[in-house]
Amino acid sequence: MSEPVRDVPITGEPIRLGQFLKLAGLAEDGAHAKDLIENEEVTVNDEVETRRGRQLSDGDVVAVGGDRGRVTLAR
């Protein structure tokens, strides 16, 4: 069973996938985020995503392995 989805607040939409991976702690840094994406280890809303610049919006769920983060707008 996978981990529960963590809400990760962002201050403005949209945010790029590479940035979100770092913010959510799903990647150590930009190079790690790039490697995860290139190796097809990242899904957005249960679909493999290979574009680091993919724009994410409120409610999108990003997963790396069993770790999942949901884009939420900071209130």
Side-chain angles (χ1 to χ4, degrees):
M1 184 173 151
S2 60
E3 295 293 316
V5 179
R6 283 182 298 117
D7 286 341
V8 181
I10 63 171
T11 53
E13 284 185 287
I15 184 170
R16 290 193 303 276
L17 179 58
Q19 291 175 306
F20 183 80
L21 288 170
K22 293 182 289 181
L23 179 67
L26 298 172
E28 296 168 16
D29 53 33
H32 186 221
K34 181 180 179 196
D35 289 345
L36 290 170
I37 294 165
E38 285 180 352
N39 292 324
E40 299 185 358
E41 296 179 46
V42 178
T43 62
V44 176
N45 301 326
D46 296 321
E47 293 185 8
V48 173
E49 182 54 70
T50 58
R51 298 170 296 164
R52 191 169 53 164
R54 158 81 185 260
Q55 301 286 311
L56 303 174
S57 300
D58 189 36
D60 284 340
V61 175
V62 177
V64 177
D67 293 332
R68 299 184 298 164
R70 179 185 300 116
V71 178
T72 56
L73 290 178
R75 306 263 185 264

